[in-house]
């Protein structure tokens, strides 16, 4: 099998550190909101872009 540089335990530890640290969680929440707005705008433009054209 291939030997990957990251293990499942390291990934779990990283995710736990992101969830449990208050200062990291605040930044991650801002990032999640920005990604949500971006994805929402893509969906909106794909569905209703023709109606918004001048």
């Amino acid at each position: 099998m291939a030997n990957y540089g990251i293990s499942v335990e390291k990934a779990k530890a990283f995710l736990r550190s992101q969830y449990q640290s208050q200062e990291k969680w605040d930044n991650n929440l801002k990032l999640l909101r920005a990604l949500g707005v971006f994805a929402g705008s893509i969906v909106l433009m794909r569905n209703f872009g023709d109606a918004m054209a001048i």
Side-chain angles (χ1 to χ4, degrees), residues 6-44:
I6 189 166
S7 66
V8 174
E9 290 80 21
K10 286 182 183 179
K12 285 182 182 179
F14 174 74
L15 288 175
R16 268 191 221 105
S17 72
Q18 294 294 313
Y19 291 142
Q20 293 174 352
S21 174
Q22 187 64 33
E23 60 194 23
K24 289 181 183 177
W25 179 246
D26 290 339
N27 289 333
N28 289 338
L29 190 59
K30 289 177 187 176
L31 181 64
L32 286 172
R33 283 184 187 146
L35 289 173
V37 168
F38 180 71
S41 66
I42 289 173
V43 169
L44 181 78

Side-chain angles (χ1 to χ4, degrees), residues 39-49 52:
S41 66
I42 289 173
V43 169
L44 181 78
M45 290 304 290
R46 291 199 70 166
N47 289 330
F48 303 107
M52 292 181 190

